[in-house]
Amino acid sequence: MTTSYLLIPGAGGEAWYWHRVAPLLAERGHRAIPVDLPADDPGAGLAEYTETALAALESSGHEEGDELIVVAQSMGGFTGPLVATRTRVDLLVMLAAMVPAPGETGGAWWADTGQPEAAAAAAEEGGYRYPGGENGEFDLDVFFHDVPDEVRARAVERGERDQSDAPFGTPWPLEKWPEVPTRFLLCRHDRLFPAEFQRRVVRERLGITPDEMDGGHLPALAHPDDLVERLETYRETLAV
């Protein structure tokens, strides 16, 4: 059976985020589908993000009988479950992700979950700056502290796509989590969503215990081999 991995990025919405993961999945004989979201479109909210992900799936060659694993990173956690309500998904993997509550906006999520306080406390304990930079902007090290220098340099050279506010103002439309097998993979050294914070949020909102891997908030850039091994372990359990 062919397996399709639908790879949904976080804020900024660039398929490039998955450029180190997609070839590794392809080498294993799978169909890797990195999604490029309309993140810089001020008129695109969660509905448009969902349609974009579904369009990428349709154009990939994915067929109805193929196995489908959706991987949703960071802000992609708002979109991944919506995709699962529109097409058959065998597994939803939430990766260092935001877990929305029914009716919650992406903008409200931060205060609702206590993320600012949790991240500031973790920074003080860990001896690094958060958010760092000027005017409260995120220091690059919040995201890239464990990303290899050459990958970080390419990311800086490419520049950052502006993320519009539209999806952050859109209430998450589901009344409950979709009926789809769900795993959560947190990163133990995540400075944006610290591990202890994620353990609590996942327990409260999904009622499950998250799995854990080493690394910061961008595991697809920093640790693609380890991430693919984790994803493949999840895939193998589907056949059991």
Side-chain angles (χ1 to χ4, degrees), residues 76-163:
F78 272 73
T79 302
L82 301 182
V83 171
T85 67
R86 298 282 302 280
T87 190
R88 182 185 63 82
V89 172
D90 294 282
L91 180 66
L92 172 61
V93 179
M94 302 284 282
L95 175 63
M98 301 168 73
V99 180
E104 184 177 57
T105 66
W109 179 90
W110 306 85
D112 289 350
T113 59
Q115 183 275 343
E117 296 82 2
E124 182 175 359
E125 181 178 352
Y128 56 85
R129 294 189 304 166
Y130 182 89
E134 299 178 356
N135 302 319
E137 296 178 355
F138 288 126
D139 190 299
L140 279 178
D141 281 344
V142 170
F143 299 95
F144 287 92
H145 63 91
D146 65 332
V147 174
D149 290 344
E150 64 276 13
V151 179
R152 175 171 175 157
R154 289 203 302 273
V156 171
E157 182 180 0
R158 285 171 51 84
E160 183 180 11
R161 179 186 291 172
D162 290 334
Q163 172 64 57

Side-chain angles (χ1 to χ4, degrees), residues 47-96:
E48 289 76 17
Y49 284 25
T50 303
E51 293 298 335
T52 299
L54 290 168
L57 179 64
E58 182 177 1
S59 64
S60 71
H62 176 79
E63 299 180 355
E64 186 176 345
D66 294 340
E67 199 169 59
L68 177 58
I69 298 175
V70 175
V71 185
Q73 193 264 343
S74 194
M75 180 187 165
F78 272 73
T79 302
L82 301 182
V83 171
T85 67
R86 298 282 302 280
T87 190
R88 182 185 63 82
V89 172
D90 294 282
L91 180 66
L92 172 61
V93 179
M94 302 284 282
L95 175 63

Side-chain angles (χ1 to χ4, degrees), residues 200-212:
R200 172 179 59 80
V201 172
V202 172
R203 182 177 65 250
E204 293 174 352
R205 296 195 167 195
L206 293 180
I208 63 176
T209 299
D211 300 311
E212 304 186 13

